[in-house]
Amino acid sequence: EAKRQRDGTPQLFRPELEQEREMRLTLERELRHAIDKGELSLYLQPQVDALQCIIGAEALVRWQHPVRGFISPSEFIPLAEESGLILPLGYWVLQEGCRLLGEWRQRPDCCDLKLSLNVSVRQFQQPDFVDQVLSAIYRHDVAPGRLTLELTESLLLKDPEGTIEKMGLLRRIGVSFALDDFGTGYSSLFYLKSLPLDTLKIDIAFVRGLSHDTQSTPIAAAIVALGRSLELAVIAEGVETEMQRAVLAGLGCFLYQGYLFGRPMPAADFPPILEPLAGETPPIAR
Ligand code: C2E
Ligand code: MG
Ligand code: MG
Ligand code: MG
């Protein structure tokens, strides 16, 4: 039966749309409580250098829903962004990430490692974002040089000057910045030059293509060259195969993150002991 809108015109009843809307509202309500109920956790994915030594980790948030089970960040981060819940969520990630870094200080296997945290645009644009980072650092007694914040290009759409200023403030005390998903967003090479960055992250889309399509290799090559000319570290994300790693190394990219080296894992399991790379088995004593 067609519902009638206030002005009397019939409105198509679309149960799927209605259902979807309801599901989103429920999820939103649940996400609001997830933080307080301790349903969020940080998983860590190793980042390695050319010798396959772990140099750090990226923290990736996970939501263990009591009924629905594990919910992927690609589902709830966009929802969190739209609803504004990204602010308390981002705050939690910052605190939890710094708490981990504080713990690592006491651990000989982790005390040299860096931790990268993803920061959403809305979170970064809060007027007190710099203070939030500083207080998390002091509270957990973190060496600022161990902390990297991952930003995306969309930050530059709005207020590039403010972005540069905030980054500058945090960088002065030793916090590093990485540009995440590079090459997929709004890239103004002009602003890229003026951004106080430390690292470019080659997006998984280009890395994935390194084994199939012909366009990805020159794009990855261009990103590596750009990073080098701007004196930035370049790390490739989503490296799954030895072939992709070898192509990247050939292009001059020697920092990697991806399933080849380790999936995101609970913080308690970090750091993993990595298997020797295929084709580089240690010499056997004869
Ligand atoms: P991202 O920051 O670009 O993170 C990399 C994503 O690629 C992660 O997905 C990771 O699990 C996945 N990945 C890593 N290596 C491989 C690989 O070899 N193959 C494949 N197929 N995938 C790989 P995840 O954990 O699902 O996170 C998705 C996105 O959600 C992140 O993309 C990030 O944008 C966002 N996100 C995650 N945690 C946070 C957070 O704490 N705060 C904010 N604001 N966003 C977050
Ligand atoms: Mg990231
Ligand atoms: Mg990324
Ligand atoms: Mg991504």
Side-chain angles (χ1 to χ4, degrees):
E1 188 194 337
K3 282 183 181 171
R4 289 204 172 259
Q5 286 181 341
R6 234 165 250 175
D7 62 3
T9 54
Q11 183 197 6
L12 286 176
F13 180 59
R14 288 184 286 179
E16 326 80 51
L17 256 182
E18 195 55 35
Q19 251 179 24
E20 198 189 298
R21 209 182 80 90
E22 239 159 67
M23 231 181 75
R24 286 172 53 88
L25 284 176
T26 309
L27 209 63
E28 190 183 314
R29 187 161 21 81
E30 291 172 337
L31 182 57
R32 209 174 283 278
H33 297 291
I35 302 172
D36 307 327
K37 290 195 289 189
E39 291 171 9
L40 298 183
S41 59
L42 288 185
Y43 271 41
L44 302 181
Q45 184 177 34
Q47 298 179 323
V48 305
D49 67 11
L51 299 172
Q52 217 194 182
C53 290
I54 296 178
I55 51 165
E58 177 177 10
L60 297 155
V61 70
R62 296 289 180 261
W63 180 8
Q64 190 71 48
H65 187 282
V67 180
R68 265 177 253 207
F70 160 81
I71 303 178
S72 152
S74 51
E75 277 181 63
F76 68 86
I77 293 288
L79 182 76
E81 303 251 13
E82 286 165 36
S83 60
L85 287 173
I86 194 71
L87 299 184
L89 188 148
Y91 184 80
W92 180 84
V93 169
L94 191 59
Q95 289 293 331
E96 180 64 8
C98 286
R99 193 188 64 75
L100 280 174
L101 271 175
E103 250 180 46
W104 284 4
R105 261 196 116 137
Q106 322 299 328
R107 288 178 43 182
D109 54 344
C110 289
C111 62
D112 291 336
L113 304 183
K114 296 190 73 168
L115 185 65
S116 292
L117 303 177
N118 290 284
V119 174
S120 90
V121 174
R122 269 180 90 167
Q123 186 188 356
F124 186 86
Q125 281 174 342
Q126 294 171 99
D128 66 342
F129 179 72
V130 171
D131 292 333
Q132 285 181 33
V133 177
L134 293 180
S135 67
I137 283 175
Y138 294 136
R139 181 168 167 198
H140 299 284
D141 200 19
V142 166
R146 300 272 166 242
L147 180 65
T148 300
L149 300 178
E150 296 194 0
L151 308 175
T152 53
E153 292 162 87
S154 44
L155 257 180
L156 293 173
L157 277 174
K158 263 195 205 167
D159 192 24
E161 285 82 13
T163 299
I164 291 166
E165 194 191 322
K166 276 185 186 171
M167 289 172 72
L169 284 171
L170 286 168
R171 251 180 130 231
R172 232 162 285 149
I173 67 150
V175 175
S176 307
F177 285 92
L179 198 55
D180 204 355
D181 305 337
F182 185 70
T184 59
Y186 167 89
S187 338
S188 159
L189 295 181
F190 175 75
Y191 282 122
L192 186 64
K193 190 173 74 89
S194 48
L195 269 191
L197 279 173
D198 301 277
T199 304
L200 281 186
K201 294 192 83 173
I202 305 180
D203 191 72
I204 190 166
F206 305 123
V207 175
R208 190 179 292 132
L210 289 180
S211 27
H212 326 306
D213 62 57
T214 45
Q215 296 93 21
S216 290
T217 308
I219 294 174
I223 295 175
V224 175
L226 184 66
R228 184 176 289 170
S229 69
L230 295 172
E231 296 180 4
L232 302 174
V234 179
I235 180 165
E237 39 179 16
V239 181
E240 291 184 357
T241 67
E242 171 51 30
M243 185 198 170
Q244 290 167 342
R245 191 203 62 85
V247 173
L248 285 160
L251 298 176
C253 174
F254 300 110
L255 300 174
Y256 319 101
Q257 181 184 337
Y259 295 168
L260 181 63
F261 308 99
R263 292 189 175 245
M265 63 194 79
D269 299 340
F270 191 85
I273 294 160
L274 299 183
E275 298 283 323
L277 283 176
E280 288 175 35
T281 42
I284 300 161
R286 282 172 202 276

